Amino acid sequence: MDKHLPLPPEALYRTCDTDLLPFKTTDTLEPFSGFFGQERAIEAMEFGVGMQRPGYNLFVMGNPHTGRFSFATVSLRNVAKKQRKPQDWCYLNNLTDNRYPTILKLPAGKAARFRRDMGRLFDNLLSALPAAFESPSYLGLKGRIERDFNRRYDQAVEEIERKGRDYSIAVYREAGQVGFTPVANGQAMDEAQFSALPEEERDAFQRNIAELEDRLNDNLTELPKWRREAAEQVRTLERDTARQAVSGPIQALKEHYANLPGVPAYLSHVEKDLVKNGAELVADSPVEVKTDATRRAWLEENYGVNLLVDNDKTKGAPVVYEAHPSYDNLFGRIEYTSEMGAMVTNYQLIRPGALHRANGGYLVMEAEKLLEQPFVYSALKRALKSHEIRIENPVSEYTGVSTITLNPEPVPLGVKIVLIGGRDTYYLLQELDHDFEKMFRVVVDFDEDVERNPKSIRHYARLMKTLANEEQLAALTRDGVARLVEHSSRLAGDQDQLSAHIGELVDLLCEADYRRKENGDDQINALHVEHALVAKERRTGRLAQKILDGIMNETVLIDTDGDAIGKSNGLTVLQVGDVSFGTPARITATVHPGNRGIVDIEREVTLGQPIHSKGVLILQGYLGHKYARDFPLTLSASIAMEQSYGYIDGDSASLAEICTLISALTHIPIRQQYALTGSINQYGEVQAIGGVNEKIEGFFRLCQTRGLNGKQGVIIPQANVRNLMLKREVVDAVREGLFHVHAVATVDQCLEILTGKPAGHMKEDGHFTQRSMGAQIVKRLREIAKAKA
């Protein structure tokens, strides 16, 4: 009979005592407020939000489905709603150079009001300007200027007309031109009559006409000057008229916004530009008849307010989540329109990004999505360093292709960035980017597990009530909550912990509620939770069943009974997507004289990954330290995980490998009804491994399918006992004596269970006790060393 007794059923599963849940249903519980088991993260979040210095941005670090996103957004909103709302931002036309729009900062809510007031100003101008330019005073003054110019012109021409009469030459005006023609008998000569004149008369007429032309040119020498003077007088009149029309409404608006820096100065620029262009705005062009709509569009395009960020309805500081942090979505963009086949733009087509909307508050992004976008991370660093948002075209920096566009004035930036990402992403950024630590000084490390104690169990029950209410599910009975607590410990992989993966619990609650509706029950109980778990396993269990079928039809060779030399059953876990399951794998070893040492066949063919290869190399250190202290360890051995055709990693097979190697060395058979897992160190101590529940259940499923005979079982590290949260069918089989789970702390303990022989111990004289496995191992190693010599 083995002296190493298997673990009792109570050690394989920690039930949740319903006495810890003093309620019938969760309807009677208070909702859970706060975040379950995240005291460390809450403290870090409070520090990061409260530390108002550059560089104290936050990185919320943790695995998906732990509620890290909800934690971050809810925490930020609770703080932000108590803070002052930031100012509004708008872009204005730069009337000096419209390629460089200017930014205007206004108190929250004032920008929208300013835009409305500018719209009313445009309405007033559309009435005042046409009226001013149609008024009798304007028309009279303009007519006088034109008459003065025409009088000068007429006087110059009339003098020539009088002189022409002396020469019998008529002066005529046609289409703004002055012409000359000979006169006979009071009538202008035609060409035939002129040709019939004697040559002397014709020459005289031509000389006289040339003289008149010279005199006319002399008289009209200052005509361009008269025209310029008249035009300048008209422009002055137009400006004075426009000034009289616009100065009143604009002055009223200036007085209204006198206490807001930047607005009066902008209105002065608008007034100056309107005085300059008012007449052109009112007058019709030769190719276009201007309507009020076109005039209004012109005013909006040149003097309107592009409201970039309106915080009028913002409650406190903004909390913005950007789901797709592309360059345009983050930093804003400049849009274009097509006019006559050309792409044109103006300051009204500047669009804000998430940084603009979050300015003065908090911007939340997922780190992995941020890093996926080209140019964005480096641009974000530049913005945080310079404390300003620039709207640029990042592609032109790298392609050299540039288009004529705007260069808006940068917006001063004061925002706290909150990145949400996994631990791998955080450590990768920390390693590769030296600026990262300076910009993200606060790490909010999200715990995945919570200590399981009476207090946390009560909080867990309240959390289940809150989640059920949020998802509009039925209430839970206390045995339903207890079953969820037990499953949470299984998810955590520890009897003394609860999982903080809220997302998985929400899914399970919804599926359990679905089972409740099928059964027609009022509350979710333990049976509904169990049915939901079984149904999920069945949905995702196709691959596990395929592997089991391969073992059953002996495509994959695994023994669950009998003895064999140099063969053992290792336990492995396969991970496919979010589904993991255990399956046994045969491990074999051969030993023969030589000096090649222990050859890991997986490593030789590059299927063994580094950690697995490390575990195999430890075997030789263990053999040499324990059994070959006074002679050289010389042997050739090979170890393989049979029928494995993919990459193998992890050192959890090293316990099975050393036992298999010793069996092959000593020719002592190993009991095939056992499967084992565990890693070892060079001193033969068995160390903890991962996935212990799935591994045990994988071998149990095979034994159950073949038929339990009361001898089968698994051997696990003693350190993994606290991780046991086995399925009910496994625990029931152990309770009935049909299956066994052994926990060992050393290789010797494992060997004694596998072989039924004593491992022995080393006496004071340096020899192992007689008829022990240790003595046989030393004997065989000496024989091989001598054979090699």
Side-chain angles (χ1 to χ4, degrees), residues 105-147:
K105 176 177 65 175
L106 295 172
K110 293 289 186 180
R113 192 173 307 167
F114 179 49
R115 184 171 66 172
R116 289 195 298 270
D117 288 344
M118 288 297 290
R120 296 190 186 100
L121 173 65
F122 298 154
D123 293 336
N124 293 336
L125 294 177
L126 288 175
S127 300
L129 279 171
F133 282 96
E134 293 171 3
S135 65
S137 60
Y138 168 77
L139 295 175
L141 290 172
K142 186 178 180 181
R144 182 183 302 171
I145 294 169
E146 292 174 350
R147 287 195 299 274

Side-chain angles (χ1 to χ4, degrees), residues 211-429:
E211 179 186 346
L212 291 175
E213 287 178 342
D214 291 340
R215 288 194 175 212
L216 179 63
N217 289 335
D218 291 340
N219 288 351
L220 296 180
T221 300
E222 295 193 359
L223 180 63
K225 176 182 175 183
W226 301 339
R227 185 173 285 116
R228 287 196 301 272
E229 289 175 352
E232 184 59 35
Q233 290 173 354
V234 170
R235 281 196 294 269
T236 302
L237 174 62
E238 289 174 346
R239 289 172 183 171
D240 292 342
T241 304
R243 185 178 293 109
Q244 292 173 4
V246 304
S247 60
I250 291 181
Q251 183 60 35
L253 206 55
K254 280 185 186 179
E255 293 173 359
H256 183 70
Y257 287 97
N259 60 340
L260 295 182
V263 175
Y266 176 67
L267 290 174
S268 296
H269 286 302
V270 172
E271 180 180 6
K272 181 179 179 181
D273 203 67
L274 274 171
V275 167
K276 179 181 177 181
N277 298 304
E280 182 182 348
L281 172 65
V282 172
D284 291 331
S285 67
V287 295
E288 179 187 10
V289 177
K290 294 179 181 177
T291 64
D292 284 347
T294 57
R295 293 188 178 105
R296 176 62 185 256
W298 187 89
L299 289 171
E300 286 283 358
E301 184 177 326
N302 286 275
Y303 313 120
V305 177
N306 179 2
L307 183 51
L308 199 70
V309 179
D310 181 10
N311 285 310
D312 185 27
K313 297 181 180 180
T314 304
K315 306 297 182 183
V319 178
V320 176
Y321 168 63
E322 179 52 58
H324 181 55
S326 65
Y327 195 97
D328 288 351
N329 290 349
L330 205 57
F331 294 93
R333 64 190 182 278
I334 300 172
E335 295 179 345
Y336 290 81
T337 59
S338 177
E339 290 185 8
M340 306 293 289
M343 302 302 293
V344 297
T345 187
N346 61 65
Y347 77 104
Q348 292 279 18
L349 296 177
I350 301 173
R351 300 293 177 253
L355 277 173
H356 295 96
R357 296 193 300 273
N359 202 4
Y362 307 90
L363 176 59
V364 182
M365 294 179 289
E366 295 177 60
E368 289 79 8
K369 291 183 179 179
L370 176 70
L371 296 175
E372 289 173 359
Q373 301 296 326
F375 317 120
V376 173
Y377 180 67
S378 57
L380 179 62
K381 290 199 302 180
R382 289 196 300 270
L384 292 175
K385 287 180 180 179
S386 62
H387 306 292
E388 63 182 22
I389 312 170
R390 287 186 175 274
I391 301 178
E392 300 171 317
N393 182 6
V395 178
S396 63
E397 298 180 19
Y398 297 89
T399 62
V401 177
S402 179
T403 57
I404 297 176
T405 184
L406 304 180
N407 188 3
E409 182 182 356
V411 177
L413 177 63
V415 69
K416 196 172 283 289
I417 304 294
V418 180
L419 289 184
I420 301 174
R423 289 183 171 82
D424 291 345
T425 303
Y426 175 80
Y427 294 125
L428 183 66
L429 286 170

Side-chain angles (χ1 to χ4, degrees), residues 465-531:
K465 172 196 172 64
T466 303
L467 294 177
N469 289 346
E470 290 176 355
E471 299 296 328
Q472 299 181 341
L473 308 178
L476 290 87
T477 63
R478 65 176 180 173
D479 67 324
V481 174
R483 183 65 184 90
L484 286 170
V485 168
E486 294 163 3
H487 180 66
S488 184
S489 287
R490 178 180 170 93
L491 290 177
D494 197 317
Q495 295 180 353
D496 299 326
Q497 300 286 326
L498 295 173
S499 172
H501 283 231
I502 305 301
E504 294 186 26
L505 293 173
V506 170
D507 293 342
L508 180 57
L509 273 176
C510 294
E511 294 171 20
D513 190 66
Y514 174 77
R515 301 298 168 185
R516 173 196 66 82
K517 292 177 182 177
E518 281 189 330
N519 294 348
D521 296 325
D522 295 329
Q523 288 95 25
I524 301 173
N525 57 38
L527 186 62
H528 303 139
V529 176
E530 190 67 37
H531 285 173

